[in-house]
Amino acid sequence: MIDIVCGGQAGDEGKGKIAAYLSYKGNYSYCVRVGGPNAGHTVEQDGHKYTLKNIPSGFLNPNTKLVLGAGAYTKTDWLLKEVELTGTKDRLIIDPYAVLITDEETKAEQDAAHFMKHIGSVGTGLGQAVKNRIERRQVKFAKDEPLLKDFICEVPELLNKALDNGEHILLEGTQGIKLSLLHGEYPFVTSRDTTASTFLGEAGLGPKSVRDVYVVFKPYITRVGPGPLEKEIFDESSLETYHTKGREIGSVSKRLRRVGAFEKRSAARAIMINNATKIAITHIDMFEGNNAVKKYEDFTAEAKQFLESIKELSKEIYPHPALSIISTGADMEDTLVLK
Ligand code: IMP
Ligand code: MG
């Protein structure tokens, strides 16, 4: 069966950590990533911190093969560097039609004031590569890169055979609902849809084999670029707490993230549109006194109140996902699973 991890806000909800945890503890044969290298996923284990733009966060489990689908966009040198860093040369698989962003595409995007100034693009060249692909211009596919030839494999066939054998797949989505080209806050969005059904299509998978859809929220929202943010925080000392204690600095863009309040409306839409069956909450340690708490009962009143409000929200919104994972710190092990 397939489990999917989706972002319920404006990206950077901690999908990397949740995907890493699920993969480490679970028995997924494959961890699949789609989308572009504008989205950084952070994984921490025993003091080692990995910021990944390309390799699926499930790499910590040595038994999990790592897959980039046809809807993945990367840059050859970035990818190879991460392969080296994570030691995953022997278990990386790339769809022939995954796209390699060229330096020209990166430059074209960085030179475009519309992208960089108005939309606040991360400037990786993803938007330009997507544009070239949609216009059916020449793009560079993974199958055309000699340095990647050992990794190329028919991904839809591989994954669907695995499903037929009763194996499990973790599909790691990128960004969040507020950045979706279709369902987000246009024009302050990324160049693709960022919801579960699209992730499936981008990997070459269909909806019938999905088991769980995890939607990930923080108790607040961050945004690296422009666009709506309810009750944005401008007070410098609170912002500094988010940027330091909360590590709210863009992992790809290196920009200090803007911070706003938890938005019930976007959370509801994320549950609905992703058809979420499970909720994961990260950064609960941003409520003072909740670091490394191991039992629900031991959270502070403020944290509990927030978690109860999430349960209430879920009662209102189909398909009524269960609150199931709470992250109490950056390390993969700082995780509480609710039964
Ligand atoms: P682009 O996708 O790089 O063009 O960026 C479009 C908008 O989405 C900008 O405001 C970016 O800052 C934001 N964005 C893109 N990727 C991410 C992400 O992974 N996390 C958070 N914001 C992102
Ligand atoms: Mg990120």
Side-chain angles (χ1 to χ4, degrees), residues 75 77-78 100-110 124-125:
K75 284 191 85 130
D77 50 341
W78 291 357
L100 301 170
I101 300 169
T102 62
D103 291 342
E104 293 73 37
E105 285 164 337
T106 304
K107 184 165 184 316
E109 183 165 304
Q110 290 181 354
T124 54

Side-chain angles (χ1 to χ4, degrees), residues 234-254:
F234 294 106
D235 168 64
E236 289 206 359
S237 81
S238 336
L239 270 179
E240 197 192 319
T241 310
Y242 283 100
H243 293 150
T244 50
K245 183 176 174 210
R247 310 167 294 280
E248 295 296 358
I249 297 172
S251 61
V252 178
S253 66
K254 305 292 174 224

Side-chain angles (χ1 to χ4, degrees), residues 39 44 60 113 149 152 235 249 289 292 307 313 317-318:
E44 281 191 50
L60 286 176
K149 74 173 185 329
I152 302 296
D235 168 64
I249 297 172
L307 295 168
L313 177 67
I317 313 292
Y318 177 83

Side-chain angles (χ1 to χ4, degrees), residues 129-139 141:
V130 170
K131 187 170 160 208
N132 285 345
R133 193 180 204 178
I134 288 170
E135 290 181 349
R136 267 54 56 83
R137 293 183 196 282
Q138 191 174 2
V139 290
F141 288 114

Side-chain angles (χ1 to χ4, degrees), residues 10-16 33 38-42 51-52 175 224 249-253 257:
D12 306 313
E13 300 90 353
K15 292 177 294 297
R33 190 167 160 165
N38 51 347
H41 289 182
T42 308
T51 300
L52 305 170
Q175 294 134 334
V224 284
I249 297 172
S251 61
V252 178
S253 66
R257 293 178 181 145

Side-chain angles (χ1 to χ4, degrees), residues 10-12 15 38-41 109 115 119-124 126-127 174-175 179 188-191 222-226 252-253 255 257:
D12 306 313
K15 292 177 294 297
N38 51 347
H41 289 182
E109 183 165 304
F115 275 140
I119 307 300
S121 292
V122 181
T124 54
L126 168 72
T174 47
Q175 294 134 334
L179 298 176
F188 303 107
V189 295
T190 191
S191 41
T222 56
R223 234 187 148 121
V224 284
V252 178
S253 66
R255 286 178 268 175
R257 293 178 181 145

